[in-house]
Amino acid sequence: MTVTSPLGFEAAGVAAGIKASGALDLALVVNRGPLQNAAVVFTSNRAQANPILWSKQVAADGVVGAIVLNSGGANCFTGPEGFQVTHRTAEAVGEVLDISPGDVLVCSTGLIGDQLDGEVLAAGVVAAAAALATTGGEDAARAIMTTDSRPKTSVRSGDGWSIGGIAKGAGMLAPGLATMLVVITTDAALEHPALDAALRQATRVTFDRLDSDGCMSTNDQVSLLASGASGVTPDEADFRAVLTAVCRDLAEQLQADAEGASHDIAIEIIGAASELDAVEVGRSVARNNLFKAAIFGNDPNWGRVLAAIGTTSATFDPYDVDVSMNGVRVCSGGRPDRPREEVDLAPRAVHVLIDLRVGEASATILTNDLTHDYVHENSAYAS
Amino acid sequence: MTVTSPLGFEAAGVAAGIKASGALDLALVVNRGPLQNAAVVFTSNRAQANPILWSKQVAADGVVGAIVLNSGGANCFTGPEGFQVTHRTAEAVGEVLDISPGDVLVCSTGLIGDQLDGEVLAAGVVAAAAALATTGGEDAARAIMTTDSRPKTSVRSGDGWSIGGIAKGAGMLAPGLATMLVVITTDAALEHPALDAALRQATRVTFDRLDSDGCMSTNDQVSLLASGASGVTPDEADFRAVLTAVCRDLAEQLQADAEGASHDIAIEIIGAASELDAVEVGRSVARNNLFKAAIFGNDPNWGRVLAAIGTTSATFDPYDVDVSMNGVRVCSGGRPDRPREEVDLAPRAVHVLIDLRVGEASATILTNDLTHDYVHENSAYAS
């Protein structure tokens, strides 16, 4: 149940030979219409890969016919030759599908600084086009994997319409949608402005609140393609709710498969003066290596939580904050409360609740612990 | 050669019984005059330990007679009882030295949230006072160690005067002088305003540019005490230069002993539009876990450098930046230059040179790699 679950889409995933391992490495998702509306959000990193530079132009008019994605190389900081490879890939897709290359989004993921072979990609596009099927979403989900241990897919239905998605990403997950490629499809009949507003609202409270390791990628892209094939134009609020559910499901799958992680940590901030404050406070904890290493060691070290939030500019009194871990209030009013020994951090899921006690706003940031496996995987990535 | 090298100072380090191990855990440094001028800088974390709250009041008038420091507990988020312990410690020092408690700085380091025993500290102060000696600086340097593997000391001389220092700190090193206790003494005859200006200028370009793990402590304090015992009032520029040299020496010792680190990394930014830009760019690299893990693996992954600096707001073109690692230019103009295989990252010292190519400003940030030992030490700190 993936991007080919909604009506009007075909997909494929093939082994184009980009990865030396021979694994699937090129995916193609095609919108057969009748509508070809789309909305796309991109990494906010100023260092942007060639596919991002290209896709921003493609997305500008809100019309997208297909999206081609490769793993095995980020095509970032590869100069004008690298941009030519992206352009060539879009042209190959345009040719086999008989659509304008200017309606073809391109995504790449892998090591920065390595040149991709345009011939290999173009041949992969031909093979993918031949394999296109209304059941091809699973292969597409596999073809975009890098260090992911499993494909990520999600489907939710509305009243006569549905939304499906695939995602990859295991490291470099941070605000600005880091190292994450996501393709979401829908057969709902919606125009670009409605799609764009819904996608921005959904990503703001899902992918943008996943901060696995504080590192922002150069290649992130979340694309939403609408075929209109259901013939149904849903209520916009309904559509946003279902889209947000799909994005949250995929974000949680990304968190659960984060490189080397042994805990999935939800940092819930309540009692904040504003949502912005809540997000800032939550993110300061999510990015604190000492806190993250403590959770890896099943150590409910709440002092590191307070030391982290003390670095923010959010409105609160550091000496009047409550902190609970997995249901045990270890700190209240800035002082020790229940003994830390009562906290059980053995489960993979960890819930840290921080009550700032100044307002009504709240937010939850998702992160992971800092583990030996994280260090190992990321010290050996290039090899 | 420590805080007792300049004339007019006595120090001691004793085992007061705060640490269960029986190691030295309480240090006392006394300024015998004739002057008792001082300047102090504190952590910029809003979550501040009780000794910070106390010492800020003490430092306000620029007069300090003594400083007492304990390891074995941070006395942070321990409520009013914790503040009473700090107050009691200062009173004990005032009593044995016959000076006002209001002229006694207090520093603590260790786990947040554990209550210290005021009786134990007071007895330790009595023992330390009995052990005071003009050769006691080495013991004082040892008594403030936590996870430090060795004491940090430094001495530099001017023309007829000198500056000596001791420091502790191995983790939580970040801007705002994180988890760092530093005591610097001088026998130069200088008033508070000159000391204060010199200390702020020196820490700004030394301790503030050490960012081992991006985590800011609740307990940092750098104190500069002047006895005037040399009878010499140095030229202020000379004094600043020597003070900066002592601070840089201590900062580099802190970096070299950072928890679990296997590389000392100097990130030098040149060609920046402003010093502020250079610092922001350097810090973004120093805080990037993917970059730090790559260096641990001896992987010259320059893509992660560019991905990190792309998240800053500094003025530069991400596609016109040069990056060298240990003398090999691996990226020029935002494209691959020399093969990464030419970079030798086997030595502990790593030099990353980033030329932003837009201006004349520069700065160097010191950091460490992200290692298995860092994860291990910080996942087991509380145990």
Side-chain angles (χ1 to χ4, degrees), chain B residues 31 35 110 141 156 166 178 239 243 307 339 350 368 378:
Chain B
N31 182 353
L35 303 180
R156 294 283 189 286
I166 60 175
F239 184 77
L243 180 63
V350 173
N368 297 99
N378 287 299

Side-chain angles (χ1 to χ4, degrees), chain A residues 62-232:
Chain A
V63 176
V64 171
I67 177 166
V68 57
L69 314 91
N70 76 273
S71 51
N75 197 359
C76 182
F77 291 115
T78 45
E81 303 93 303
F83 190 81
Q84 284 307 318
V85 169
T86 293
H87 188 193
R88 170 99 206 266
T89 308
E91 282 188 324
V93 172
E95 211 163 292
V96 293
L97 298 180
D98 197 21
I99 63 176
S100 163
D103 290 340
V104 179
L105 295 170
V106 181
C107 295
S108 299
T109 178
L111 190 66
I112 294 174
D114 277 2
Q115 204 64 257
L116 291 172
D117 185 327
E119 299 304 313
V120 168
L121 281 161
V125 165
V126 172
L132 281 170
T134 56
T135 53
E138 286 284 347
D139 282 349
R142 289 188 181 276
I144 59 176
M145 289 165 57
T146 52
T147 55
D148 306 66
S149 70
R150 50 184 180 270
K152 286 98 181 169
T153 66
S154 182
V155 171
R156 295 283 189 285
S157 292
D159 189 8
W161 52 275
S162 66
I163 300 178
I166 60 174
K168 69 82 41 179
M172 224 193 265
L173 298 170
L177 314 168
T179 299
M180 212 169 47
L181 299 182
V182 180
V183 181
I184 301 169
T185 57
T186 181
D187 48 19
L190 288 168
E191 298 302 314
H192 168 73
L195 294 172
D196 190 62
L199 184 62
R200 288 178 192 283
Q201 186 266 354
T203 55
R204 190 177 68 80
V205 297
T206 55
F207 298 120
D208 277 350
R209 293 192 182 166
L210 172 64
D211 193 338
S212 176
D213 65 358
C215 298
M216 189 188 294
S217 163
T218 51
N219 287 59
D220 290 330
Q221 187 168 323
V222 180
S223 303
L224 170 62
L225 313 181
S227 71
S230 70
V232 179

Side-chain angles (χ1 to χ4, degrees), chain B residues 249-272:
Chain B
D249 184 18
L250 291 171
E252 288 176 356
Q253 290 180 53
L254 292 168
Q255 178 192 28
D257 197 25
E259 281 172 352
S262 67
H263 287 93
D264 299 333
I265 309 168
I267 301 164
E268 182 179 0
I269 313 299
I270 61 173

Side-chain angles (χ1 to χ4, degrees), chain A:
Chain A
M1 302 299 283
T2 69
V3 285
T4 44
S5 299
L7 300 173
F9 292 93
E10 292 180 0
V14 298
I18 309 163
K19 285 180 178 166
S21 66
L24 300 184
D25 52 18
L26 189 137
L28 184 62
V29 180
V30 179
N31 182 351
R32 295 297 189 187
L35 302 180
Q36 298 199 308
N37 295 330
V40 190
V41 294
F42 299 95
T43 180
S44 56
N45 199 320
R46 292 165 58 199
Q48 305 193 330
N50 286 306
I52 298 291
L53 301 177
W54 170 264
S55 294
K56 283 190 163 177
Q57 300 304 316
V58 171
D61 66 358
V63 176
V64 171
I67 177 166
V68 57
L69 314 91
N70 76 273
S71 51
N75 197 359
C76 182
F77 291 115
T78 45
E81 303 93 303
F83 190 81
Q84 284 307 318
V85 169
T86 293
H87 188 193
R88 170 99 206 266
T89 308
E91 282 188 324
V93 172
E95 211 163 292
V96 293
L97 298 180
D98 197 21
I99 63 176
S100 163
D103 290 340
V104 179
L105 295 170
V106 181
C107 295
S108 299
T109 178
L111 190 66
I112 294 174
D114 277 2
Q115 204 64 257
L116 291 172
D117 185 327
E119 299 304 313
V120 168
L121 281 161
V125 165
V126 172
L132 281 170
T134 56
T135 53
E138 286 284 347
D139 282 349
R142 289 188 181 276
I144 59 176
M145 289 165 57
T146 52
T147 55
D148 306 66
S149 70
R150 50 184 180 270
K152 286 98 181 169
T153 66
S154 182
V155 171
R156 295 283 189 285
S157 292
D159 189 8
W161 52 275
S162 66
I163 300 178
I166 60 174
K168 69 82 41 179
M172 224 193 265
L173 298 170
L177 314 168
T179 299
M180 212 169 47
L181 299 182
V182 180
V183 181
I184 301 169
T185 57
T186 181
D187 48 19
L190 288 168
E191 298 302 314
H192 168 73
L195 294 172
D196 190 62
L199 184 62
R200 288 178 192 283
Q201 186 266 354
T203 55
R204 190 177 68 80
V205 297
T206 55
F207 298 120
D208 277 350
R209 293 192 182 166
L210 172 64
D211 193 338
S212 176
D213 65 358
C215 298
M216 189 188 294
S217 163
T218 51
N219 287 59
D220 290 330
Q221 187 168 323
V222 180
S223 303
L224 170 62
L225 313 181
S227 71
S230 70
V232 179
T233 298
D235 174 77
E236 286 190 20
D238 288 350
F239 184 77
R240 286 184 191 201
V242 174
L243 180 63
T244 301
V246 168
C247 290
R248 179 165 295 124
D249 184 18
L250 291 172
E252 288 175 357
Q253 290 180 53
L254 292 168
Q255 179 192 26
D257 197 25
E259 281 172 351
S262 68
H263 287 90
D264 299 332
I265 311 168
I267 302 164
E268 182 180 2
I269 313 299
I270 61 172
S274 70
E275 194 180 339
L276 216 62
D277 273 9
V279 169
E280 184 191 2
V281 167
R283 208 180 290 291
S284 75
V285 179
R287 293 186 166 190
N288 188 280
N289 277 351
L290 292 172
F291 163 77
K292 291 157 80 85
I295 298 298
F296 167 59
N298 294 344
D299 170 15
N301 194 321
W302 56 267
R304 293 177 178 175
V305 172
L306 292 179
I309 72 177
T311 64
T312 70
S313 59
T315 301
F316 67 91
D317 175 356
Y319 307 101
D320 188 20
V321 168
D322 294 352
V323 180
S324 298
M325 288 182 164
N326 281 0
V328 178
R329 197 169 70 176
V330 282
C331 169
S332 63
R335 300 170 57 181
D337 191 340
R338 303 300 309 168
R340 62 181 81 208
E341 291 72 23
E342 291 182 9
V343 180
D344 180 11
L345 292 179
R348 183 173 173 102
V350 173
H351 180 229
V352 178
L353 180 68
I354 303 170
D355 187 349
L356 298 180
R357 298 163 62 97
V358 288
E360 302 294 325
S362 65
T364 298
I365 301 290
L366 306 178
T367 190
N368 297 99
D369 52 351
L370 179 58
T371 70
H372 289 301
D373 286 348
Y374 177 89
V375 173
H376 176 73
E377 286 196 36
N378 287 298
S379 61
Y381 184 82
S383 60

Side-chain angles (χ1 to χ4, degrees), chain B:
Chain B
M1 301 299 284
T2 70
V3 285
T4 44
S5 297
L7 299 173
F9 292 92
E10 293 179 1
V14 299
I18 309 162
K19 285 180 179 166
S21 66
L24 301 184
D25 52 18
L26 189 136
L28 184 61
V29 180
V30 179
N31 182 353
R32 296 298 190 185
L35 303 180
Q36 296 199 311
N37 295 331
V40 191
V41 293
F42 299 95
T43 180
S44 55
N45 199 320
R46 291 165 59 198
Q48 304 194 331
N50 286 305
I52 298 290
L53 301 177
W54 171 264
S55 294
K56 282 190 164 179
Q57 300 304 315
V58 170
D61 67 357
V63 176
V64 170
I67 178 166
V68 56
L69 313 93
N70 77 272
S71 50
N75 197 359
C76 183
F77 291 114
T78 47
E81 306 92 303
F83 190 80
Q84 285 307 315
V85 169
T86 293
H87 189 192
R88 170 99 206 268
T89 308
E91 284 189 322
V93 173
E95 212 164 292
V96 293
L97 297 179
D98 197 21
I99 63 176
S100 163
D103 290 341
V104 179
L105 295 170
V106 181
C107 295
S108 299
T109 178
L111 191 64
I112 293 174
D114 277 2
Q115 205 62 258
L116 292 172
D117 186 327
E119 299 304 314
V120 168
L121 280 161
V125 165
V126 172
L132 281 171
T134 54
T135 52
E138 283 285 347
D139 282 350
R142 288 187 180 278
I144 58 176
M145 288 164 57
T146 53
T147 55
D148 306 66
S149 71
R150 50 184 180 270
K152 287 98 180 168
T153 66
S154 182
V155 171
R156 294 283 189 286
S157 294
D159 190 10
W161 52 275
S162 66
I163 300 178
I166 60 175
K168 71 80 44 179
M172 225 192 266
L173 299 170
L177 313 169
T179 302
M180 211 171 44
L181 300 182
V182 180
V183 182
I184 301 169
T185 58
T186 181
D187 47 21
L190 286 168
E191 298 303 315
H192 168 73
L195 294 172
D196 191 62
L199 184 62
R200 288 178 193 283
Q201 186 266 355
T203 56
R204 191 178 67 79
V205 296
T206 56
F207 298 121
D208 278 350
R209 294 194 181 165
L210 172 64
D211 192 338
S212 175
D213 65 359
C215 298
M216 190 187 294
S217 164
T218 52
N219 286 58
D220 290 329
Q221 188 169 322
V222 179
S223 303
L224 170 62
L225 313 181
S227 70
S230 69
V232 179
T233 298
D235 173 77
E236 286 190 20
D238 288 351
F239 184 77
R240 286 184 190 202
V242 174
L243 180 63
T244 301
V246 168
C247 289
R248 179 165 294 125
D249 184 18
L250 291 171
E252 288 176 356
Q253 290 180 53
L254 292 168
Q255 178 192 28
D257 197 25
E259 281 172 352
S262 67
H263 287 93
D264 299 333
I265 309 168
I267 301 164
E268 182 179 0
I269 313 299
I270 61 173
S274 70
E275 192 179 339
L276 216 63
D277 272 8
V279 169
E280 184 192 2
V281 167
R283 208 181 289 293
S284 74
V285 179
R287 291 185 166 190
N288 188 279
N289 278 352
L290 293 173
F291 164 77
K292 291 157 79 85
I295 297 298
F296 168 58
N298 294 344
D299 169 15
N301 194 321
W302 57 266
R304 292 177 179 176
V305 172
L306 291 179
I309 72 176
T311 65
T312 70
S313 60
T315 301
F316 67 90
D317 175 356
Y319 307 102
D320 188 20
V321 167
D322 294 351
V323 179
S324 298
M325 290 181 161
N326 281 359
V328 179
R329 198 168 71 174
V330 282
C331 169
S332 63
R335 300 170 58 181
D337 190 341
R338 303 298 310 166
R340 61 182 80 208
E341 291 71 26
E342 291 181 9
V343 180
D344 180 12
L345 292 178
R348 184 174 173 102
V350 173
H351 180 230
V352 178
L353 179 68
I354 303 170
D355 188 347
L356 299 180
R357 298 165 61 99
V358 288
E360 301 294 323
S362 64
T364 299
I365 301 290
L366 305 180
T367 191
N368 297 99
D369 51 353
L370 178 60
T371 69
H372 288 301
D373 287 350
Y374 177 90
V375 173
H376 176 74
E377 286 196 34
N378 287 299
S379 62
Y381 183 83
S383 60

